[in-house]
Amino acid sequence: MVYAGHVSYVAWLHPYWAQQIREGEHRMAVGRDLSTTTIRLTSTDNYFLSDGLYVSEDQLENSKLLRLDVVKVNPVKASHRSASEKKTEEDTERWFVKRARTEEDKGAQASCSQSLSRCTDTLQPEESSSGTKLGDDDDDGDDDGSTSYVVKRISAFLSETEPYILDIDLDFFTCKNPFKELYTQEEFTILQELYNFQGPSPDADKEELDACVDRRVHQLEDLEAAFADLLEDDGEETVTRWARNPGMASLTQLVSSLRSRNLCPDYEMVHQAGLTCDSVELPHHISTDEEIDRLVSAVQLLLKALPKPTLVTMSRSSLDEYCPVEQVDSVQTRVLAVLESLYGPLDLHKDFENNSTETLVP
């Protein structure tokens, strides 16, 4: 979308446990690499370098400027959530269950909409049990991650008339690294060694950056080829041949461990798991119901202070299990209740009910 000219500014709002990209402002050019014809960019953050995406701007054609703001969002403090607010969220979930049963009845649907309006009123930033306003002093003022801080960071780039997309991924509220259930800690340690990313020095020049990316691309290509070979034949000869490559000696131990638990390991999945073991591990934080409620409240306070979005998209992320399957429906219900309380009745398109993609478009 950036290369096509549709988007020039992206704000990634993340919980404290997601640290893949350095906090702050990133400015970069996005364009077509003259040598590979692939879309690449000029950011030198390790997140992009470890995927081999960096290229100098003089190697790009038809480049577009992108500003990326990475902003942490803290959950509302537990001490500022009253018992009545928690009761309200239970009522909201019951409302959505009722709505699902009566979706085709327009009269019942209108009645439910009125009920939602009443039952979500207390989700607004009103007085807590301590008598203070949610979103004011309880929000730690302008501290990093506070509602007021986040609003100040991104509101300067949004206006009442400028269109923008609100894209919500439900694994923002609770997140699982699904690979942790597939492999042992020993296997993960070996994958981290095999896929280890050696970043450049902090003051790296163009030559060092180019060398870093070239080294990383060849490393990933070799690992992809190795596991593709193992899919065809994971016998001792194949394993030994690949293990002779620099940095791949531990492949022998990895294959032995995998085969001790499964005679036919899925080496393609092993490679996908390895790609997540570069400089920062995938986030893994399965939230409690209270933590989810506090994050939902923080998001509501934030959205209330921002202009109404042109479009809202929502990704469930449950097919790949990044959002735990046992929590995704509950989280979705809470977030939809917030959106309807802020923006009115929603025109929902539940694509996930009809196909294998898990995207919900209100």
Side-chain angles (χ1 to χ4, degrees), residues 23-268:
E23 189 80 5
E25 179 183 320
H26 304 252
R27 293 179 182 268
M28 65 195 78
V30 178
R32 187 182 299 276
D33 181 8
L34 292 170
S35 61
T36 64
T37 71
T38 57
I39 306 301
R40 298 174 77 175
L41 42 76
T42 59
S43 173
T44 58
D45 188 87
N46 279 350
Y47 179 81
F48 301 107
L49 289 174
S50 64
D51 277 346
L53 295 177
Y54 164 83
V55 70
S56 59
E57 189 166 3
D58 59 5
Q59 288 297 110
L60 294 177
E61 65 175 357
N62 195 28
S63 64
K64 305 291 193 304
L65 292 179
L66 169 66
R67 171 173 174 172
L68 169 64
D69 266 359
V70 179
V71 188
K72 180 177 65 175
V73 177
N74 285 335
V76 169
K77 289 183 177 178
S79 59
H80 301 116
R81 295 188 50 79
S82 66
S84 63
E85 286 176 301
K86 295 177 182 178
K87 175 67 164 56
T88 292
E89 287 151 352
E90 293 173 0
D91 292 342
T92 303
E93 290 194 26
R94 284 196 293 271
W95 178 88
F96 265 94
V97 171
K98 181 179 179 182
R99 183 189 188 195
R101 295 194 189 111
T102 61
E103 197 167 17
E104 295 181 358
D105 186 335
K106 293 184 179 180
Q109 188 178 44
S111 174
C112 287
S113 296
Q114 292 171 359
S115 299
L116 177 67
S117 177
R118 289 194 297 272
C119 77
T120 54
D121 282 345
T122 54
L123 283 176
Q124 302 299 325
E126 60 178 44
E127 289 191 1
S128 67
S129 56
S130 62
T132 59
K133 294 270 189 177
L134 293 178
D136 293 338
D137 293 339
D138 66 316
D139 191 43
D140 288 336
D142 288 338
D143 290 350
D144 286 2
S146 68
T147 301
S148 55
Y149 172 81
V150 176
V151 170
K152 286 181 180 179
R153 281 283 301 274
I154 65 178
S155 61
F157 301 93
L158 297 176
S159 70
E160 296 290 344
T161 58
E162 186 175 3
Y164 77 95
I165 298 172
L166 172 62
D167 180 47
I168 302 174
D169 197 322
L170 297 186
D171 65 10
F172 169 91
F173 302 95
T174 179
C175 184
K176 181 175 76 172
N177 180 350
F179 295 115
K180 286 184 175 290
E181 296 180 350
L182 297 178
Y183 307 109
T184 67
Q185 184 56 53
E186 178 190 17
E187 290 162 357
F188 250 106
T189 300
I190 298 173
L191 286 172
Q192 289 171 337
E193 177 183 334
L194 288 170
Y195 287 81
N196 178 54
F197 169 64
Q198 297 180 350
S201 59
D203 56 348
D205 57 17
K206 178 181 179 298
E207 182 178 353
E208 184 181 351
L209 289 169
D210 287 341
C212 170
V213 171
D214 186 63
R215 181 173 61 248
R216 181 60 171 175
V217 168
H218 282 95
Q219 177 190 11
L220 296 181
E221 287 176 345
D222 286 347
L223 287 164
E224 182 179 16
F227 285 110
D229 268 5
L230 292 173
L231 271 175
E232 300 297 326
D233 174 19
D234 62 353
E236 182 179 353
E237 182 180 344
T238 303
V239 175
T240 302
R241 173 165 50 84
W242 279 107
R244 293 195 189 103
N245 284 16
M248 296 178 67
S250 56
L251 187 65
T252 303
Q253 184 181 354
L254 176 63
V255 172
S256 175
S257 177
L258 292 169
R259 294 196 63 182
S260 69
R261 297 189 298 110
N262 185 347
L263 290 179
C264 299
D266 184 345
Y267 290 110
E268 184 177 358

